[in-house]
Short mmCIF file of all heavy atoms in Angstrom, two decimals:
data_model
loop_
_atom_site.label_atom_id
_atom_site.label_comp_id
_atom_site.label_asym_id
_atom_site.label_seq_id
_atom_site.Cartn_x
_atom_site.Cartn_y
_atom_site.Cartn_z
N TYR A 246 36.28 253.81 71.12
CA TYR A 246 36.12 253.37 72.51
C TYR A 246 37.49 252.92 72.97
O TYR A 246 38.40 252.75 72.14
CB TYR A 246 35.08 252.23 72.61
CG TYR A 246 35.39 251.06 71.70
CD1 TYR A 246 36.12 249.96 72.15
CD2 TYR A 246 35.01 251.06 70.36
CE1 TYR A 246 36.43 248.91 71.31
CE2 TYR A 246 35.32 250.02 69.50
CZ TYR A 246 36.02 248.95 69.99
OH TYR A 246 36.35 247.90 69.15
N ASP A 277 40.02 244.06 70.82
CA ASP A 277 38.73 244.65 70.46
C ASP A 277 39.00 246.14 70.30
O ASP A 277 39.19 246.86 71.30
CB ASP A 277 37.72 244.37 71.59
CG ASP A 277 36.32 244.88 71.25
OD1 ASP A 277 36.18 245.69 70.31
OD2 ASP A 277 35.37 244.49 71.96
N ASP A 288 33.87 248.73 65.24
CA ASP A 288 33.95 247.93 66.47
C ASP A 288 34.31 246.51 66.05
O ASP A 288 33.45 245.73 65.65
CB ASP A 288 32.58 247.98 67.18
CG ASP A 288 32.58 247.22 68.49
OD1 ASP A 288 33.67 246.82 68.95
OD2 ASP A 288 31.48 247.02 69.06
N THR A 290 36.66 242.87 66.69
CA THR A 290 37.47 242.04 67.58
C THR A 290 38.08 240.88 66.79
O THR A 290 37.41 240.25 65.98
CB THR A 290 36.61 241.43 68.72
OG1 THR A 290 35.92 242.48 69.38
CG2 THR A 290 37.49 240.72 69.73
N GLU A 425 34.49 239.59 66.18
CA GLU A 425 33.46 240.63 66.01
C GLU A 425 33.61 241.35 64.68
O GLU A 425 34.68 241.86 64.36
CB GLU A 425 33.57 241.66 67.15
CG GLU A 425 32.61 242.83 67.00
CD GLU A 425 32.64 243.78 68.19
OE1 GLU A 425 33.69 243.90 68.85
OE2 GLU A 425 31.58 244.39 68.45
MN1 LIG B 507 33.94 245.38 70.39
#
Side-chain angles (χ1 to χ4, degrees):
Y246 54 93
D277 183 345
D288 182 10
T290 307
E425 175 175 30

